[in-house]
Amino acid sequence: MSLSFRLDGVRLGYGHGAVLDGIDLDVAPGELLAVVGSSGSGKSTLLRALAGLLQPYQGKILADGEEVRGTSPDRAMIFQEDGLLPWRTVRRNVELPLRIRRKPLDVSAWIERVGLAGREDRLPRELSGGQRQRVQLARALVGGPRAVLMDEPFGALDAQTRADMQRLLLDVLRDTAATVVFVTHDVDEALLLGDRVAVLGRGGIKTVLTSATRERILEEL
Amino acid sequence: MSSMSSWARRILALLAAAGTWQLLTATDAVLWLRFDRLPTLGEIAAELLQQVTTPIYYLDLLQSVIRILTGFALAAAAGITVGILIARSPKASDLLTPLLEAVRPIPAIALVPIAILLFPQDEQGIVFITCAAAFFPIMVSTRHAVRALPTLWEDAVRTMGGGRLHVLRNVILPGALPGVFGGLSVGMGVAWICVISAEMISGDFGVGYRTWHAYTIVDYPAVIVGMITIGALGWLASAAIELTGRRTTRWLPRAEGSSA
């Protein structure tokens, strides 16, 4: 079952002041919400708060009506930088969420699903950037999370690999019921992937567009 | 091919050093340094061959190895634990850092009087000094290695539902390993210095004791044999740590040809 989010008057920051203030946002179960904004607009901060890695100064973040007070395997996260553990092979990286939750280590299907069959025993440093993001995707989805939070996962990839990854993402998400919050600075990527697009400006959310167009987003940014 | 020539260079360097020694001692060279009282290679080889046939040589060797392994194992366990604790817990850091930083500059060998007073037997005192010597490099390297870990890895484990123990087991211990092995390597070096020095001061057995004893009875070939034994043991211990370190951190990117 997918997860819903509600942010109510949320103020977020890192000790030296607020990065985002007065955030009100609803994310429906099963929705793919793209969050677009320029560098420093607080996209990653918002995502870290949804993951439970950052507590708001003010306001509440609710996941299925319950306040988010810490991390949970229900809310998997894919990082922009390489979040893979470099000493673990592809297989052992993908297995990790299952090991932590003491579940059966059945990961072959997911490794195959993201196109890495035959590369199970490779270390992250032996993979390309796109392949590493595939491992992150498999690792995020293997435990059956109810929400997936994606922090510019394809930001460092070349155009061709990025397009391949976007196709793969849409393909695998079709098989899961997970709610997705996808952060990007790329307007086209937000339009391609998002059911709705939230535009983040300095200090907060400027608008959430249900039927977004490139021109409309650029106007808001 | 390049590996062959590398080994050839190493062997050549050792042979050149041995040849120079032989030349200077066989000719009783008295330059500014005096080589006329030092034994030749032949005398050293004869002494070595004689010593390796006696059980006392192996008893000394075993005694020193037991002391170093015991002291080093205690230092490794304590150094890694305290290093992680200080790096991860501000409270532990506040409690332990002032004391540790006050004790750290004291050379371990300067603890000999304290060791003699503290412990009922010399044996325990020597192990204590060896442990104290190895503890600080291991603790400091572990502390730095843990503090330098990217928070991203910890965040990744936490978002999988991992708690503190999962972070410790899956991120901190494996991630800090390269730095920890740096500390273990330095720690082993100073542990050898201290175990030999402590044996020279207050031991009844051991390679250090036997070397110093040979000096007091003016048996210079035996002194050199003792030094060669200490060097070989130290080199073996460092090589063992280096090899273990490389095996357990295979995931680190390494330049080609950096294996030796």
Side-chain angles (χ1 to χ4, degrees), chain B residues 226-241:
Chain B
M227 287 165 60
I228 291 169
T229 309
I230 292 163
L233 286 174
W235 177 77
L236 274 175
S238 294
I241 289 178

Side-chain angles (χ1 to χ4, degrees), chain A:
Chain A
M1 220 175 78
S2 43
L3 207 63
S4 68
F5 289 107
R6 166 161 282 188
L7 286 82
D8 193 5
V10 169
R11 181 180 162 92
L12 294 166
Y14 295 98
H16 53 272
V19 178
L20 293 168
D21 203 0
I23 302 283
D24 296 309
L25 180 69
D26 283 301
V27 186
E31 179 183 9
L32 198 161
L33 177 75
V35 179
V36 68
S38 51
S39 295
S41 59
K43 303 186 294 292
S44 298
T45 306
L46 177 66
L47 218 56
R48 288 177 65 80
L50 289 174
L53 290 167
L54 183 69
Q55 291 303 307
Y57 295 149
Q58 255 178 33
K60 280 184 180 174
I61 299 174
L62 306 173
D64 265 3
E66 284 189 28
E67 194 165 351
V68 172
R69 292 190 184 276
T71 53
S72 156
D74 273 348
R75 285 170 269 125
M77 188 154 172
I78 298 179
F79 299 87
Q80 178 185 13
E81 296 161 73
D82 196 344
L84 299 177
L85 301 179
W87 49 88
R88 298 180 83 98
T89 60
V90 167
R91 175 179 290 281
R92 285 173 51 77
N93 259 293
V94 178
E95 281 175 354
L96 190 55
L98 302 176
R99 277 188 190 278
I100 286 173
R101 294 162 73 184
R102 296 175 187 273
K103 284 186 164 184
L105 305 177
D106 187 12
V107 297
S108 297
W110 270 109
I111 291 174
E112 198 177 329
R113 189 84 174 82
V114 298
L116 290 174
R119 294 184 172 86
E120 292 89 343
D121 296 325
R122 293 204 184 169
L123 290 166
R125 70 176 162 88
E126 296 168 321
L127 303 175
S128 67
Q131 287 170 336
R132 283 200 293 271
Q133 290 305 65
R134 284 169 191 261
V135 182
Q136 279 217 79
L137 187 61
R139 189 176 71 175
L141 295 172
V142 73
R146 297 171 63 202
V148 184
L149 309 166
M150 307 181 80
D151 188 5
E152 298 203 54
F154 312 142
L157 304 180
D158 63 81
Q160 180 61 51
T161 312
R162 192 183 181 110
D164 290 345
M165 289 302 297
Q166 288 164 346
R167 270 195 295 275
L168 175 68
L169 178 66
L170 288 172
D171 195 31
V172 295
L173 286 178
R174 215 176 291 134
D175 301 341
T176 70
T179 306
V180 178
V181 181
F182 188 101
V183 156
T184 179
H185 64 269
D186 183 337
V187 173
D188 293 324
E189 190 168 62
L191 284 169
L192 174 73
L193 300 175
D195 298 324
R196 288 189 304 154
V197 178
V199 183
L200 218 56
R202 289 247 167 251
I205 292 175
K206 285 193 167 178
T207 185
V208 181
L209 302 166
T210 308
S211 50
T213 62
R214 194 167 206 285
E215 290 69 29
R216 186 69 213 286
I217 294 173
L218 289 172
E219 213 173 86
E220 292 289 344
L221 275 172

